[in-house]
Amino acid sequence: MANSRVVGLNAVQNAIMRELQLYSNHVSDQIETDAKEVATQLVIELKQTSPKDNGYYAESWTKTKFRKGWIVHNKHHYRLTHLLEKPHAKRSGGQSTPQPHIRPAEERAIRAFIERVERAVEGR
């Protein structure tokens, strides 16, 4: 055993902690990057799939940084989102026809983000 080295328990512990910290930082950075990219893609999709009476509603989709995540919202017509997505009573009587465009895009964005997080955690 001329080439064997005796390594102290503290040195092994420190090496493991250092590697875990590097892994944690890498995964956190990747998740933040992925969150921004998914939010950007969601904004693009909502701009394309939103009803376009005059275009103002569709073009008002944006993303905003909030703490460690992103919020996708309609900056000018936020009250209109619910009215377009869900049926409601019309002033002239009857019900409006819902135009679901937010929920399908949201569900796709959630699936995409989950896949990206899994890849980041697995190191792919």
Side-chain angles (χ1 to χ4, degrees):
M1 288 231 257
N3 290 339
S4 65
R5 286 180 62 190
V6 177
V7 178
L9 191 54
N10 284 339
V12 171
Q13 179 182 359
N14 289 340
I16 290 171
M17 292 302 292
R18 188 172 41 255
E19 289 302 315
L20 286 174
Q21 188 62 48
L22 287 171
Y23 170 75
S24 174
N25 290 343
H26 173 72
V27 170
S28 293
D29 292 345
Q30 187 62 48
I31 287 173
E32 284 186 35
T33 301
D34 290 343
K36 183 176 182 179
E37 289 174 5
V38 169
T40 301
Q41 285 304 115
L42 180 56
V43 168
I44 291 168
E45 182 177 349
L46 285 169
K47 285 183 177 188
Q48 292 171 349
T49 61
S50 292
K52 292 173 184 65
D53 183 31
N54 58 16
Y56 294 128
Y57 173 77
E59 289 303 314
S60 293
W61 288 105
T62 189
K63 67 182 187 301
T64 303
K65 179 86 167 138
F66 181 73
R67 295 185 185 149
K68 289 188 175 186
W70 292 88
I71 295 175
V72 175
H73 59 99
N74 195 298
K75 62 185 171 188
H76 298 297
H77 306 285
Y78 54 90
R79 291 184 184 107
L80 191 55
T81 58
H82 181 77
L83 294 174
L84 289 170
E85 192 80 7
K86 308 283 184 188
H88 59 277
K90 295 195 298 188
R91 188 182 315 169
S92 60
Q95 289 257 324
S96 68
T97 304
Q99 299 176 7
H101 56 287
I102 301 169
R103 172 141 322 182
E106 175 193 23
E107 290 171 354
R108 283 189 288 278
I110 290 170
R111 282 194 302 274
F113 184 64
I114 289 171
E115 289 173 12
R116 286 171 172 246
V117 168
E118 288 173 350
R119 271 188 271 159
V121 169
E122 293 170 358
R124 293 188 278 146

